Amino acid sequence: MAVTSNHVIYRGYTDSSPYPPIRVQAPNKDYANILMDDLAGPKGEFTAMSMYFYQHNMAGKDSGDYGAVIMRIAIAELHHMDILTAVIRKLGGNPQFRGSSKSNKRYWNANSVSYSQDLCKSLKIALEGENHAIEAYENHIQIIEDPNIKNILTRIVVDEKLHKNYITQMIEKYCT
């Protein structure tokens, strides 16, 4: 999947505003390392996408449109992974499925994926994940001084807030 602003697949699950171009001021392995947590740390995009894919496949008949909605969000998270991978490469990093050196460069494993088959528990875990993603991106926006990367992360946050709204609506629909 090439990084693009085409919203055909993501329409409705990403904001309609375009993504900024994938640019960096200069290679910076420290910034690449920071973004590794967003890509594939324990609460990163790869974990979210994996959990949503699992939940999509486990959604039962009593979960209404949840399975379809969560799969579309998973696809949007995959798009974020594509963007982060491109940024990490431009920064001179190697976009592996691991966290940053701050998290001891632990390689990704499925221990962070919730395998709950309880719809409401899954939704609450998904909401916590989206809140964590927003907080982590906003923290990285403060740390990283490259305006190009700040713009990219700010745009991804817009999508994460949209996902949070969808998940909140699902909690209100199925868990009250």
Side-chain angles (χ1 to χ4, degrees):
M1 176 185 305
V3 176
T4 178
S5 61
N6 182 341
H7 283 78
V8 174
I9 294 175
Y10 318 108
R11 188 169 286 133
Y13 297 88
T14 60
D15 188 76
S16 61
S17 61
Y19 290 89
I22 306 298
R23 292 186 208 153
V24 300
Q25 287 182 322
N28 185 321
K29 291 200 177 193
D30 290 334
Y31 291 168
N33 187 55
I34 289 168
L35 296 177
M36 294 301 290
D37 280 331
D38 298 325
L39 175 66
K43 298 194 182 232
E45 298 286 356
F46 192 63
T47 300
M49 185 273 306
S50 299
M51 184 172 67
Y52 295 160
F53 181 78
Y54 174 80
Q55 291 174 358
H56 160 77
N57 282 291
M58 296 308 294
K61 293 177 184 173
D62 60 338
S63 62
D65 58 348
Y66 172 71
V69 169
I70 208 69
M71 184 60 177
R72 289 181 183 110
I73 295 173
I75 292 168
E77 303 295 15
L78 183 60
H79 184 61
H80 295 163
M81 289 174 57
D82 197 33
I83 292 167
L84 290 168
T85 297
V87 173
I88 291 168
R89 289 186 68 206
K90 285 194 176 285
L91 288 167
N94 181 2
Q96 300 174 346
F97 292 135
R98 65 166 177 81
S100 68
S101 58
K102 181 176 132 185
S103 62
N104 298 320
K105 292 187 180 181
R106 289 191 183 117
Y107 281 88
W108 187 89
N109 66 59
N111 290 340
S112 297
V113 174
S114 168
Y115 293 104
S116 175
Q117 294 181 25
D118 177 273
L119 176 61
C120 292
K121 182 176 180 184
S122 294
L123 283 165
K124 289 174 184 170
I125 291 168
L127 183 59
E128 287 172 16
E130 295 296 333
N131 283 329
H132 179 273
I134 292 165
E135 181 180 317
Y137 281 125
E138 288 175 344
N139 182 43
H140 294 161
I141 290 165
Q142 297 303 313
I143 294 170
I144 293 172
E145 295 178 6
D146 183 323
N148 298 302
I149 300 170
K150 286 178 177 282
N151 289 338
I152 292 165
L153 298 182
T154 298
R155 175 59 186 80
I156 291 173
V157 167
V158 172
D159 288 345
E160 299 298 350
K161 288 179 178 178
L162 184 63
H163 300 165
K164 179 180 171 179
N165 288 338
Y166 277 118
I167 292 166
T168 300
Q169 289 171 11
M170 294 285 224
I171 289 171
E172 291 168 359
K173 183 174 183 179
Y174 295 113
C175 302
T176 55

